[in-house]
Amino acid sequence: MENNSAISVTGLVAGYDNTTIIDGVDFDAKDKEISIIVGPNGSGKSTLLKCMFGLATIHSGSVRFGSRDITHMQPHTIAREGIAYLPQVKNVFTNLSVDENLKMAAYTLDSKGYEQRNEHVYETFPQLVRHRGDRANTLSGGERQMLAMGMALVRMPQVMMFDEPTANLSPKLAGEVLDKVAHVRDSFGITVILVEQNVKRALAFGNSVTILANGKVAFSGSSEEVRAQPELCKTYLGISQ
Amino acid sequence: MALDPIISAGVIYSSILVLLALGLTLTYMTTRVPNFAHASFATIGVYIALVVTRVWDASPYIALPIAFAVSGAVSLALYTFVLKPLIRRGAKPAIQMISTLAFDLVLIAAINIAADYIVHLYDVTSREFTLRSYDASFADLPMVLFVSPVLIAAIVFCLHYVLHRTKFGIAMRATIENPDLSSVVGINVKMVYGVSWFVGGAMAGVAGVMMSLWFQGDPSLGTFLIPSIFAASIVGGFASLYGAIAGGILVGMAEIFGTRIIAGEFGSWLIAYRPLVPLVFIVITLLIAPKGLAGVDWKNLARRLHVTRS
Ligand SMILES: Nc1ncnc2c1ncn2[C@@H]1O[C@H](COP(=O)(O)OP(=O)(O)OP(=O)(O)O)[C@@H](O)[C@H]1O
Ligand SMILES: [Mg+2]
């Protein structure tokens, strides 16, 4: 089925200040699908996500969200447009309580919608309930990751970008989180962009895969295509089937 | 009621320092620029008090809301028209700091012009003037002795309430900790910075009105206070509003009482060296506890003291 693009990146050259990390990348996230980005450490996966959120320096190229050009928009306006982003690091406010973190995550929502979704987050991650009033820097690594995930879920935007949401989680919980990602797509029709180390698992439900290497796209295609090419899996993803 | 004037001096001076250190710390925590023009925002308050009392013939306390608004607006202007464009162009913190010094020079010049203009227009002394006689009195003591600590307590309470109980206040704390993540959740970080510059400047304006009821007013008044304000903020750690409060009280009391005690021991010639007190505080803090009072692990310290005692 051919879908429209929710996010499309064309000819992107970007980095931090004067450096160039992303070097001519084209990337498409189809509407209501899960697009996976994989690649070795330092290949520029996180930087690519930051570009889509106005947090990196874009030298040339463009980022479009639906029909809108968001290349040079400020992050807080992009957030209001309906994109949520779970950063890889520093993804919770450590000096704020768990409740305050969720409140901030829903900064742009009205209070009624927030109350409901807030409860929904606590239902999804019951481990967080007893820490409601605690400062986030007292949480364990895994609990912090759940909170960060919850902060993205509370928004229920049109597009969600997750940067390694399963880092620090036990294999069991990592599975649950990825199931949650699939659930978000299936039940709410949300477009998902997922950077994930756990490639094998991600391939199982991802729709399309982009492999980044050295700031360039080394491969891009559907999950089936990737699985059909053991060479690709070996070289870039470190998995053998 | 007989009260050693040094006690009034200690209370009033400390309150003023607390208020000034709070504002300086607030703007530093958000934008990370040490603002050398901060004390001149207080001088603006002093001159507003002069106009309100001498020209309008009204109570100096009428000057409080006016100084709040005017100094706040000048502070916001410094952020909006000087710092924000510099930050957008990628200016380093040192350059931003120097730009606040430059802004201060312009501001002091403007205050001097205003002072001359006031003389010219209303025939009112506008240099080395004192407004103490305009203050009301309570139990034979100047009103400002009571107003200043009460006002500081009220402002601290409001700040605490806003920062912990309101959505915007929590967003301010979020922005101080992590501006990138704040913008990701939709907080307009630059707006938060602007608000904190307004509030910081407004508090300095309020401090200025109280200064006018105690100190001799002059365009250079703020310049003499800058070392003490920075000392109070640095002692407080420059990263915590509660640290700024403690730092303001400590430096203020030390300047007033410390100088008196030392002068009593070694001779009154030492009083002239009072300006050294804040500098000594800055040096000692940076040498032994660079994170200030806020950075000291009090629990650990108490435990260690306990262990050495037993
Ligand atoms: N804030 C920054 N300022 C300057 N350079 C940065 C910054 N963040 C990352 N880089 C550089 O950009 C390059 C790509 O980093 P990036 O975080 O995008 O990689 P990644 O693919 O996400 O890696 P990982 O799998 O380890 O998360 C690295 O060489 C890194 O040093
Ligand atoms: Mg990364």
Side-chain angles (χ1 to χ4, degrees), chain A residues 40-47 50 88-89 163-164 195 197:
Chain A
N41 293 119
S43 54
K45 305 182 296 291
S46 298
T47 307
K50 286 185 211 166
Q88 182 175 9
V89 290
D163 198 344
E164 308 202 7
V195 173
Q197 294 283 2

Side-chain angles (χ1 to χ4, degrees), chain B residues 21 140 149 200 217 236 282-283 292 310:
Chain B
D140 275 345
I282 293 178
V283 170
S310 53

Side-chain angles (χ1 to χ4, degrees), chain B residues 50-232:
Chain B
L50 175 73
V51 172
V52 166
T53 51
R54 289 269 161 89
V55 179
W56 296 357
D57 216 12
S59 160
Y61 296 103
I62 304 274
L64 284 174
I66 307 174
F68 185 91
V70 174
S71 298
V74 173
S75 175
L76 180 61
L78 167 57
Y79 170 68
T80 312
F81 300 116
V82 180
L83 293 172
K84 208 159 109 179
L86 280 174
I87 294 168
R88 194 169 49 228
R89 290 178 176 79
K92 298 268 177 306
I95 293 175
Q96 297 174 31
M97 184 186 83
I98 289 171
S99 77
T100 68
L101 268 173
F103 189 85
D104 195 34
L105 292 180
V106 174
L107 203 52
I108 291 173
I111 293 170
N112 269 299
I113 294 170
D116 287 340
Y117 199 62
I118 289 170
V119 177
H120 177 77
L121 217 58
Y122 307 109
D123 200 19
V124 159
T125 315
S126 65
R127 287 199 166 75
E128 300 184 348
F129 59 89
T130 161
L131 300 180
R132 282 194 192 191
S133 59
Y134 288 87
D135 196 6
S137 65
F138 181 78
D140 275 345
L141 291 165
M143 197 60 141
V144 65
L145 173 63
F146 305 100
V147 171
S148 55
V150 169
L151 197 61
I152 271 70
I155 288 176
V156 168
F157 177 81
C158 288
L159 264 182
H160 183 88
Y161 182 86
V162 167
L163 287 173
H164 291 269
R165 290 282 175 272
T166 68
K167 192 170 162 187
F168 188 79
I170 299 172
M172 279 183 94
R173 281 160 58 216
T175 307
I176 287 168
E177 183 191 323
N178 190 338
D180 274 358
L181 186 59
S182 301
S183 64
V184 161
V185 299
I187 296 168
N188 185 345
V189 170
K190 288 188 182 125
M191 209 253 284
V192 170
Y193 287 177
V195 169
S196 70
W197 276 82
F198 180 88
V199 172
M203 288 197 289
V206 167
V209 173
M210 277 177 303
M211 276 156 60
S212 76
L213 293 173
W214 194 252
F215 295 101
Q216 205 172 51
D218 201 71
S220 59
L221 181 55
T223 316
F224 291 110
L225 279 176
I226 268 287
S228 302
I229 305 171
F230 271 82

Side-chain angles (χ1 to χ4, degrees), chain A residues 14 16 21 47 51 108 118 137 153 169 188 211 214 223-224 230:
Chain A
Y16 303 94
I21 308 286
T47 307
C51 289
T108 55
N118 194 14
N137 64 356
L153 290 177
L169 297 183
F188 304 100
I211 303 178
N214 264 324
S223 307
E224 290 78 29

